mmCIF file of all heavy atoms in Angstrom:
data_model
loop_
_atom_site.group_PDB
_atom_site.id
_atom_site.type_symbol
_atom_site.label_atom_id
_atom_site.label_comp_id
_atom_site.label_asym_id
_atom_site.label_seq_id
_atom_site.Cartn_x
_atom_site.Cartn_y
_atom_site.Cartn_z
ATOM 1 N N GLY A 1466 87.379 95.423 104.048
ATOM 2 C CA GLY A 1466 86.386 96.168 103.306
ATOM 3 C C GLY A 1466 85.061 95.428 103.231
ATOM 4 O O GLY A 1466 84.926 94.300 103.701
ATOM 5 N N GLY A 1467 84.083 96.078 102.629
ATOM 6 C CA GLY A 1467 82.781 95.462 102.477
ATOM 7 C C GLY A 1467 81.738 96.469 102.058
ATOM 8 O O GLY A 1467 82.060 97.605 101.689
ATOM 9 N N LEU A 1468 80.512 96.024 102.113
ATOM 10 C CA LEU A 1468 79.366 96.864 101.772
ATOM 11 C C LEU A 1468 78.717 97.330 103.071
ATOM 12 O O LEU A 1468 78.402 96.506 103.944
ATOM 13 C CB LEU A 1468 78.369 96.073 100.930
ATOM 14 C CG LEU A 1468 77.025 96.752 100.626
ATOM 15 C CD1 LEU A 1468 77.243 98.010 99.801
ATOM 16 C CD2 LEU A 1468 76.099 95.781 99.913
ATOM 17 N N VAL A 1469 78.527 98.627 103.189
ATOM 18 C CA VAL A 1469 77.958 99.200 104.408
ATOM 19 C C VAL A 1469 77.043 100.343 104.036
ATOM 20 O O VAL A 1469 77.240 101.007 103.007
ATOM 21 C CB VAL A 1469 79.083 99.662 105.362
ATOM 22 C CG1 VAL A 1469 79.897 100.784 104.737
ATOM 23 C CG2 VAL A 1469 78.561 100.037 106.718
ATOM 24 N N GLN A 1470 76.040 100.566 104.852
ATOM 25 C CA GLN A 1470 75.152 101.692 104.620
ATOM 26 C C GLN A 1470 75.795 102.986 105.102
ATOM 27 O O GLN A 1470 76.660 102.982 105.990
ATOM 28 C CB GLN A 1470 73.832 101.471 105.353
ATOM 29 C CG GLN A 1470 72.954 100.396 104.739
ATOM 30 C CD GLN A 1470 71.587 100.330 105.392
ATOM 31 O OE1 GLN A 1470 71.432 100.661 106.571
ATOM 32 N NE2 GLN A 1470 70.590 99.908 104.630
ATOM 33 N N ALA A 1471 75.364 104.069 104.534
ATOM 34 C CA ALA A 1471 75.843 105.383 104.972
ATOM 35 C C ALA A 1471 75.618 105.529 106.475
ATOM 36 O O ALA A 1471 74.573 105.143 106.999
ATOM 37 C CB ALA A 1471 75.128 106.487 104.215
ATOM 38 N N GLY A 1472 76.637 106.070 107.136
ATOM 39 C CA GLY A 1472 76.594 106.205 108.589
ATOM 40 C C GLY A 1472 77.241 105.056 109.325
ATOM 41 O O GLY A 1472 77.458 105.140 110.536
ATOM 42 N N GLY A 1473 77.532 103.988 108.615
ATOM 43 C CA GLY A 1473 78.132 102.818 109.231
ATOM 44 C C GLY A 1473 79.634 102.935 109.395
ATOM 45 O O GLY A 1473 80.234 103.980 109.090
ATOM 46 N N SER A 1474 80.240 101.864 109.878
ATOM 47 C CA SER A 1474 81.666 101.851 110.174
ATOM 48 C C SER A 1474 82.319 100.593 109.613
ATOM 49 O O SER A 1474 81.674 99.554 109.478
ATOM 50 C CB SER A 1474 81.900 101.885 111.685
ATOM 51 O OG SER A 1474 81.389 103.058 112.272
ATOM 52 N N LEU A 1475 83.588 100.713 109.321
ATOM 53 C CA LEU A 1475 84.432 99.594 108.936
ATOM 54 C C LEU A 1475 85.822 99.830 109.508
ATOM 55 O O LEU A 1475 86.228 100.982 109.697
ATOM 56 C CB LEU A 1475 84.538 99.460 107.420
ATOM 57 C CG LEU A 1475 83.331 98.928 106.651
ATOM 58 C CD1 LEU A 1475 83.581 99.081 105.146
ATOM 59 C CD2 LEU A 1475 83.056 97.479 107.003
ATOM 60 N N ARG A 1476 86.535 98.753 109.742
ATOM 61 C CA ARG A 1476 87.946 98.857 110.115
ATOM 62 C C ARG A 1476 88.776 98.069 109.119
ATOM 63 O O ARG A 1476 88.625 96.857 108.987
ATOM 64 C CB ARG A 1476 88.211 98.353 111.529
ATOM 65 C CG ARG A 1476 89.636 98.685 111.984
ATOM 66 C CD ARG A 1476 89.939 98.250 113.397
ATOM 67 N NE ARG A 1476 90.305 96.848 113.470
ATOM 68 C CZ ARG A 1476 91.135 96.331 114.380
ATOM 69 N NH1 ARG A 1476 91.676 97.122 115.292
ATOM 70 N NH2 ARG A 1476 91.400 95.038 114.418
ATOM 71 N N LEU A 1477 89.640 98.771 108.431
ATOM 72 C CA LEU A 1477 90.538 98.153 107.466
ATOM 73 C C LEU A 1477 91.841 97.779 108.145
ATOM 74 O O LEU A 1477 92.310 98.475 109.039
ATOM 75 C CB LEU A 1477 90.815 99.095 106.303
ATOM 76 C CG LEU A 1477 89.596 99.675 105.590
ATOM 77 C CD1 LEU A 1477 90.057 100.520 104.402
ATOM 78 C CD2 LEU A 1477 88.643 98.595 105.157
ATOM 79 N N SER A 1478 92.419 96.682 107.666
ATOM 80 C CA SER A 1478 93.704 96.212 108.181
ATOM 81 C C SER A 1478 94.718 96.140 107.061
ATOM 82 O O SER A 1478 94.374 95.802 105.919
ATOM 83 C CB SER A 1478 93.560 94.832 108.816
ATOM 84 O OG SER A 1478 92.675 94.856 109.908
ATOM 85 N N CYS A 1479 95.938 96.415 107.411
ATOM 86 C CA CYS A 1479 97.059 96.328 106.466
ATOM 87 C C CYS A 1479 98.154 95.536 107.157
ATOM 88 O O CYS A 1479 98.655 95.941 108.211
ATOM 89 C CB CYS A 1479 97.539 97.717 106.108
ATOM 90 S SG CYS A 1479 99.094 97.768 105.194
ATOM 91 N N THR A 1480 98.500 94.415 106.571
ATOM 92 C CA THR A 1480 99.605 93.616 107.086
ATOM 93 C C THR A 1480 100.612 93.406 105.972
ATOM 94 O O THR A 1480 100.325 93.654 104.796
ATOM 95 C CB THR A 1480 99.114 92.259 107.613
ATOM 96 O OG1 THR A 1480 98.449 91.562 106.554
ATOM 97 C CG2 THR A 1480 98.164 92.433 108.773
ATOM 98 N N ALA A 1481 101.789 92.932 106.365
ATOM 99 C CA ALA A 1481 102.865 92.806 105.381
ATOM 100 C C ALA A 1481 103.738 91.604 105.693
ATOM 101 O O ALA A 1481 103.831 91.161 106.835
ATOM 102 C CB ALA A 1481 103.702 94.078 105.365
ATOM 103 N N SER A 1482 104.395 91.121 104.637
ATOM 104 C CA SER A 1482 105.296 89.987 104.804
ATOM 105 C C SER A 1482 106.573 90.398 105.501
ATOM 106 O O SER A 1482 107.165 89.600 106.234
ATOM 107 C CB SER A 1482 105.613 89.376 103.438
ATOM 108 O OG SER A 1482 106.197 90.363 102.609
ATOM 109 N N GLY A 1483 107.024 91.604 105.245
ATOM 110 C CA GLY A 1483 108.189 92.132 105.939
ATOM 111 C C GLY A 1483 107.754 93.158 106.960
ATOM 112 O O GLY A 1483 106.565 93.360 107.182
ATOM 113 N N SER A 1484 108.728 93.800 107.590
ATOM 114 C CA SER A 1484 108.384 94.799 108.594
ATOM 115 C C SER A 1484 107.755 96.021 107.942
ATOM 116 O O SER A 1484 108.407 96.754 107.206
ATOM 117 C CB SER A 1484 109.617 95.222 109.384
ATOM 118 O OG SER A 1484 109.289 96.297 110.242
ATOM 119 N N ILE A 1485 106.476 96.207 108.255
ATOM 120 C CA ILE A 1485 105.765 97.340 107.670
ATOM 121 C C ILE A 1485 106.305 98.642 108.229
ATOM 122 O O ILE A 1485 106.143 99.706 107.629
ATOM 123 C CB ILE A 1485 104.252 97.188 107.917
ATOM 124 C CG1 ILE A 1485 103.463 98.038 106.928
ATOM 125 C CG2 ILE A 1485 103.895 97.544 109.355
ATOM 126 C CD1 ILE A 1485 101.987 97.742 106.949
ATOM 127 N N PHE A 1486 106.966 98.565 109.370
ATOM 128 C CA PHE A 1486 107.436 99.770 110.028
ATOM 129 C C PHE A 1486 108.885 100.097 109.679
ATOM 130 O O PHE A 1486 109.505 100.933 110.318
ATOM 131 C CB PHE A 1486 107.232 99.632 111.531
ATOM 132 C CG PHE A 1486 105.785 99.385 111.893
ATOM 133 C CD1 PHE A 1486 105.405 98.219 112.532
ATOM 134 C CD2 PHE A 1486 104.810 100.308 111.564
ATOM 135 C CE1 PHE A 1486 104.075 97.984 112.838
ATOM 136 C CE2 PHE A 1486 103.478 100.088 111.871
ATOM 137 C CZ PHE A 1486 103.106 98.924 112.514
ATOM 138 N N SER A 1487 109.392 99.438 108.654
ATOM 139 C CA SER A 1487 110.719 99.809 108.152
ATOM 140 C C SER A 1487 110.659 101.134 107.403
ATOM 141 O O SER A 1487 111.693 101.763 107.190
ATOM 142 C CB SER A 1487 111.265 98.714 107.238
ATOM 143 O OG SER A 1487 110.431 98.558 106.100
ATOM 144 N N ALA A 1488 109.444 101.527 107.024
ATOM 145 C CA ALA A 1488 109.274 102.805 106.333
ATOM 146 C C ALA A 1488 109.117 103.935 107.354
ATOM 147 O O ALA A 1488 108.760 103.701 108.503
ATOM 148 C CB ALA A 1488 108.043 102.754 105.437
ATOM 149 N N ASN A 1489 109.385 105.159 106.913
ATOM 150 C CA ASN A 1489 109.245 106.285 107.835
ATOM 151 C C ASN A 1489 107.799 106.736 107.980
ATOM 152 O O ASN A 1489 107.470 107.551 108.851
ATOM 153 C CB ASN A 1489 110.125 107.460 107.410
ATOM 154 C CG ASN A 1489 109.805 107.937 106.011
ATOM 155 O OD1 ASN A 1489 108.863 107.463 105.387
ATOM 156 N ND2 ASN A 1489 110.604 108.865 105.516
ATOM 157 N N ALA A 1490 106.934 106.162 107.154
ATOM 158 C CA ALA A 1490 105.509 106.470 107.261
ATOM 159 C C ALA A 1490 104.720 105.381 106.544
ATOM 160 O O ALA A 1490 105.220 104.743 105.614
ATOM 161 C CB ALA A 1490 105.190 107.828 106.643
ATOM 162 N N ILE A 1491 103.505 105.174 106.975
ATOM 163 C CA ILE A 1491 102.570 104.284 106.288
ATOM 164 C C ILE A 1491 101.343 105.113 105.936
ATOM 165 O O ILE A 1491 100.872 105.927 106.733
ATOM 166 C CB ILE A 1491 102.155 103.092 107.177
ATOM 167 C CG1 ILE A 1491 103.372 102.213 107.450
ATOM 168 C CG2 ILE A 1491 101.065 102.270 106.490
ATOM 169 C CD1 ILE A 1491 103.971 101.572 106.211
ATOM 170 N N VAL A 1492 100.875 104.902 104.725
ATOM 171 C CA VAL A 1492 99.789 105.706 104.172
ATOM 172 C C VAL A 1492 98.650 104.807 103.739
ATOM 173 O O VAL A 1492 98.883 103.756 103.138
ATOM 174 C CB VAL A 1492 100.291 106.518 102.966
ATOM 175 C CG1 VAL A 1492 99.174 107.419 102.430
ATOM 176 C CG2 VAL A 1492 101.523 107.343 103.327
ATOM 177 N N TRP A 1493 97.450 105.217 104.042
ATOM 178 C CA TRP A 1493 96.263 104.624 103.418
ATOM 179 C C TRP A 1493 95.886 105.511 102.239
ATOM 180 O O TRP A 1493 95.765 106.742 102.379
ATOM 181 C CB TRP A 1493 95.100 104.532 104.394
ATOM 182 C CG TRP A 1493 95.155 103.347 105.300
ATOM 183 C CD1 TRP A 1493 95.575 103.315 106.603
ATOM 184 C CD2 TRP A 1493 94.775 102.007 104.973
ATOM 185 N NE1 TRP A 1493 95.485 102.043 107.099
ATOM 186 C CE2 TRP A 1493 94.992 101.211 106.120
ATOM 187 C CE3 TRP A 1493 94.271 101.389 103.827
ATOM 188 C CZ2 TRP A 1493 94.731 99.840 106.163
ATOM 189 C CZ3 TRP A 1493 94.007 100.023 103.866
ATOM 190 C CH2 TRP A 1493 94.240 99.268 105.025
ATOM 191 N N TYR A 1494 95.716 104.864 101.098
ATOM 192 C CA TYR A 1494 95.273 105.521 99.878
ATOM 193 C C TYR A 1494 93.915 104.947 99.498
ATOM 194 O O TYR A 1494 93.545 103.859 99.910
ATOM 195 C CB TYR A 1494 96.244 105.231 98.726
ATOM 196 C CG TYR A 1494 97.668 105.643 98.949
ATOM 197 C CD1 TYR A 1494 98.566 104.797 99.611
ATOM 198 C CD2 TYR A 1494 98.160 106.849 98.467
ATOM 199 C CE1 TYR A 1494 99.901 105.159 99.797
ATOM 200 C CE2 TYR A 1494 99.491 107.217 98.646
ATOM 201 C CZ TYR A 1494 100.352 106.361 99.317
ATOM 202 O OH TYR A 1494 101.668 106.715 99.503
ATOM 203 N N ARG A 1495 93.212 105.667 98.650
ATOM 204 C CA ARG A 1495 91.988 105.118 98.085
ATOM 205 C C ARG A 1495 91.842 105.560 96.643
ATOM 206 O O ARG A 1495 92.308 106.633 96.257
ATOM 207 C CB ARG A 1495 90.758 105.497 98.894
ATOM 208 C CG ARG A 1495 90.350 106.961 98.832
ATOM 209 C CD ARG A 1495 89.163 107.199 99.767
ATOM 210 N NE ARG A 1495 88.706 108.586 99.746
ATOM 211 C CZ ARG A 1495 87.771 109.068 100.562
ATOM 212 N NH1 ARG A 1495 87.185 108.264 101.454
ATOM 213 N NH2 ARG A 1495 87.410 110.335 100.479
ATOM 214 N N GLN A 1496 91.186 104.697 95.876
ATOM 215 C CA GLN A 1496 90.965 104.972 94.462
ATOM 216 C C GLN A 1496 89.499 104.736 94.142
ATOM 217 O O GLN A 1496 89.064 103.584 93.993
ATOM 218 C CB GLN A 1496 91.853 104.092 93.590
ATOM 219 C CG GLN A 1496 91.783 104.424 92.123
ATOM 220 C CD GLN A 1496 92.896 103.775 91.326
ATOM 221 O OE1 GLN A 1496 93.536 102.828 91.781
ATOM 222 N NE2 GLN A 1496 93.132 104.288 90.133
ATOM 223 N N PRO A 1497 88.726 105.815 94.020
ATOM 224 C CA PRO A 1497 87.315 105.664 93.638
ATOM 225 C C PRO A 1497 87.211 105.207 92.190
ATOM 226 O O PRO A 1497 88.169 105.384 91.406
ATOM 227 C CB PRO A 1497 86.750 107.076 93.809
ATOM 228 C CG PRO A 1497 87.746 107.808 94.646
ATOM 229 C CD PRO A 1497 89.067 107.199 94.326
ATOM 230 N N PRO A 1498 86.089 104.668 91.786
ATOM 231 C CA PRO A 1498 85.934 104.214 90.396
ATOM 232 C C PRO A 1498 86.207 105.342 89.413
ATOM 233 O O PRO A 1498 85.651 106.440 89.541
ATOM 234 C CB PRO A 1498 84.472 103.767 90.345
ATOM 235 C CG PRO A 1498 84.097 103.489 91.759
ATOM 236 C CD PRO A 1498 84.899 104.423 92.601
ATOM 237 N N GLY A 1499 87.093 105.092 88.462
ATOM 238 C CA GLY A 1499 87.378 106.063 87.418
ATOM 239 C C GLY A 1499 88.211 107.244 87.853
ATOM 240 O O GLY A 1499 88.354 108.220 87.102
ATOM 241 N N ASN A 1500 88.766 107.174 89.044
ATOM 242 C CA ASN A 1500 89.550 108.301 89.556
ATOM 243 C C ASN A 1500 90.955 107.865 89.955
ATOM 244 O O ASN A 1500 91.266 106.678 89.999
ATOM 245 C CB ASN A 1500 88.848 108.939 90.757
ATOM 246 C CG ASN A 1500 87.645 109.750 90.351
ATOM 247 O OD1 ASN A 1500 87.746 110.889 89.930
ATOM 248 N ND2 ASN A 1500 86.478 109.145 90.476
ATOM 249 N N GLN A 1501 91.788 108.832 90.250
ATOM 250 C CA GLN A 1501 93.153 108.528 90.639
ATOM 251 C C GLN A 1501 93.203 108.077 92.091
ATOM 252 O O GLN A 1501 92.252 108.265 92.844
ATOM 253 C CB GLN A 1501 94.038 109.759 90.439
ATOM 254 C CG GLN A 1501 93.671 110.919 91.370
ATOM 255 C CD GLN A 1501 94.537 112.149 91.110
ATOM 256 O OE1 GLN A 1501 95.155 112.288 90.077
ATOM 257 N NE2 GLN A 1501 94.579 113.040 92.087
ATOM 258 N N ARG A 1502 94.338 107.507 92.446
ATOM 259 C CA ARG A 1502 94.571 107.075 93.815
ATOM 260 C C ARG A 1502 95.030 108.276 94.637
ATOM 261 O O ARG A 1502 95.963 108.982 94.253
ATOM 262 C CB ARG A 1502 95.643 105.992 93.809
ATOM 263 C CG ARG A 1502 95.789 105.210 95.090
ATOM 264 C CD ARG A 1502 96.741 104.040 94.859
ATOM 265 N NE ARG A 1502 96.206 103.103 93.883
ATOM 266 C CZ ARG A 1502 96.883 102.063 93.426
ATOM 267 N NH1 ARG A 1502 98.112 101.831 93.861
ATOM 268 N NH2 ARG A 1502 96.342 101.240 92.539
ATOM 269 N N ASP A 1503 94.380 108.500 95.769
ATOM 270 C CA ASP A 1503 94.680 109.660 96.602
ATOM 271 C C ASP A 1503 95.005 109.243 98.027
ATOM 272 O O ASP A 1503 94.580 108.181 98.486
ATOM 273 C CB ASP A 1503 93.481 110.625 96.640
ATOM 274 C CG ASP A 1503 93.271 111.336 95.322
ATOM 275 O OD1 ASP A 1503 94.266 111.624 94.634
ATOM 276 O OD2 ASP A 1503 92.101 111.601 94.979
#
């Protein structure tokens, strides 16, 4: 993550101590300030 101007790009990474692919799906969620995680 980081600070970027509108129109810019970022690449997020998710790593894990165990096998992340032991699950039947992996989801990216986000939680804006003052809002629920979606």
Side-chain angles (χ1 to χ4, degrees):
L1468 173 63
V1469 64
Q1470 288 187 331
S1474 298
L1475 287 171
R1476 190 178 82 150
L1477 307 184
S1478 298
C1479 169
T1480 58
S1482 58
S1484 173
I1485 200 169
F1486 302 118
S1487 62
N1489 58 5
I1491 295 297
V1492 183
W1493 278 100
Y1494 302 86
R1495 70 184 181 186
Q1496 186 166 18
N1500 286 279
Q1501 66 182 19
R1502 193 172 296 174
D1503 289 326

